[in-house]
Amino acid sequence: MTAMQNVSLGSRYAVHLPAPDDFAFWRERARGLVQCDVPPDRVSWIEPGGTGDLFAEGPSRGDKRLPVPPADAPPVRASQRFLTVARSAALHSDPARFGLLYRVLWRLQRNPRLMEDKADPEVRRLEELAKSVRRDAHKMHAFVRFREVAEEDGTPHFVAWFEPDHHIVRAEAAFFMRRFANMRWSILTPHGSVHWDGETMREGPPARREDAPCGDPVEALWRSYYASIFNPARLKVSAMLSEMPKKYWKNLPEAELIPQLIAGAQAREAAMVAAGARAERARPASLAEVAQGIAACRDCPIADCGTRAVAGEGPQQAALMIVGEQPGDQEDIAGRPFVGPAGQLLDDYLAHAGIDRTAAYVTNAVKHFKFAWKGKQRLHQSPTAKEIDTCRWWLDAERAIIRPRIVLALGASAARGLLGRTVSVTRERGRAIPLDDGGELWVTVHPSYLLRLEGEAREAQAALFAENLAAVRERLGEV
Ligand code: URA
């Protein structure tokens, strides 16, 4: 049977691509259609979510109705140049790209040197698409900025937000996998997300900007690095704008610095004064001074997030200091720590363990509520390691005033606030860790972790939590 016998005269075909970046799928279907001699004007290439061709054979999801090439069909010709350009162009956001690719492939069968004809409008368009995709990929390599988020178990997780122009995220994930092979990271985009856990890559749904954290430790470092290498004497604003277009600025910590760096030395001087002010700030002598200090503190971006700073509460002579992560929605409104659902659960477990909450000093590693809006709801966002480390100055001040014999850290953020390093709660829980002031630290999970669990997992963790609190109670009786 010849190729022509296999195709009904005048048939139109609709090919549904499983994903907008599936070049391999396009290539295989295009090869079959060329072998069946189906001209380009009789094929519609439809991306997921795209509308079909009313007159086509199909809808052909699964391509049941596509013609099958005869066994003796001649091989399809495609130059190396075409394949290289096509692979990039297929990732462009232009909905007409797959049709264009097929037209050029079709014409290549008659004119194998077509790709060398730089004046040909279709070749030129294909090259333009490929170039624009390569540029987008280059921008992604250059402008993805990871922000660190501490996981429940203390493992650092780096999350980045990026808005590509084209469907490049899956293709470029391999670049980040190679470069950050040992890190746990996620890249979130409006079209989909990729997650690497150090071993496997996972794809996830589209994300929103608010799903990614804003501001972090790496950022401060990056900002100072950028400021230190910025040379105003060599500044060419138009060249800089073409290399770093303004649309990427909102995700780049260093971009914040550009206007002031351009403006000159004045801003640098102001930044130095601000940094120096902290070093010179006197350590508070009372809890009231701590409360005043945190209310005025602007050392990190969370300070502008919530309604107010939430100070710790409890007696100044407390033998036990309980440290949470950061105030939640209800704490932010009430201005008191642990009054929301996690606080109520904590109260129950403390009472069960025989620990009097009113005799303890209860505070948080971070004093402001960090959240992202979801509709009208304020959703908790974990503080970054940098934010915890910045707020540590206040936690240390509280400890210096109270001098508790025992400090109980609820969760990894609290433990980091106290020790200044990443702590694995699973490894460290349930035993005393000596502190520099002679006290001891006990680490357990955060009650909100229990609230997120269900069934047997919750029961098991709740039992361990109760056990950890009982150990603290016993130790309080001893020391
Ligand atoms: N979670 C915390 O870590 N602290 C609070 O004060 C409330 C919830």
Side-chain angles (χ1 to χ4, degrees), residues 17 20-21 45-47 88-101 103 122 125-126 128-130 132-133 165-167:
L17 290 122
D21 59 352
W45 300 90
I46 299 156
E47 291 182 57
S88 294
L91 305 180
H92 201 279
S93 50
D94 182 348
R97 66 194 178 285
F98 289 112
L100 173 67
L101 283 168
R103 281 198 306 279
E122 290 187 328
R125 177 66 186 146
L126 210 55
E128 267 168 30
L129 296 186
S132 162
V133 166
D165 288 334
H166 306 301
H167 304 285

Side-chain angles (χ1 to χ4, degrees), residues 310 323-329 331-332 336-343 357 362-366 380 410 414 446-448:
V310 175
V323 183
E325 181 194 70
Q326 63 171 347
D329 180 71
E331 287 77 14
D332 175 68
R336 294 183 50 214
F338 280 108
V339 292
R357 168 170 170 165
V362 181
T363 189
N364 284 297
V366 169
H380 164 274
L410 303 173
H446 194 283
S448 63

